[in-house]
Amino acid sequence: EAGFTYNAGFSVMTGYNNIPDEPRQAPGTDYWFLGMQNMQGGPVSILQPVLTYRSSWTAASWACCPSNITTTGNTISAGKEGDRMYGSMIRKDAQTWEILTTINGETSTLVAQVGPWAYTWAVATFEDYGVSQCSQLPQKAVTFDTIVLKNADRKSTRLNPVTIRSRMPSSA
């Protein structure tokens, strides 16, 4: 996981990631995503274009978990190993964000009205649920690259690529 904090709040996060190989055994659920979270004030929520593996690759735009409620855009096919996914989270007005997830010309769109909170934490990360062995994870890494973060004035910072390797704890 790689995280970035900006206390005044971000207004844009965009970036790309690759689609890795499929796990050799069916996992529970694996998620890779760029995300932005409001860490101060309001119900905590995370905005995220999400790459998911269950029995195949899919992707969708999410606004996750304020008051334990998750909303998603339409689910799209995430293609195959080597394809690239583009994700963006863009503040449209004081209350509203547009989250886009695009792979091979297909786009998942979510317009989320999540309130006027400052989204102060940006992350590139991996989560898994129900995984108990390494064969349930891809063998190749997911690399997030061309990540751009912008402040409220839309001034940007470009970040170095972030590689997320899905690994089991050393006891596995």
Side-chain angles (χ1 to χ4, degrees), residues 76-110:
I76 60 174
S77 168
K80 63 186 181 325
E81 178 182 347
D83 289 344
R84 291 185 38 87
M85 180 173 114
Y86 170 78
S88 68
M89 294 143 284
I90 299 173
R91 181 167 235 143
K92 293 307 202 177
D93 60 40
Q95 304 280 330
T96 309
W97 288 80
E98 179 182 66
I99 303 120
L100 298 177
T101 306
T102 302
I103 301 172
N104 296 333
E106 286 188 73
T107 299
S108 172
T109 302
L110 177 64

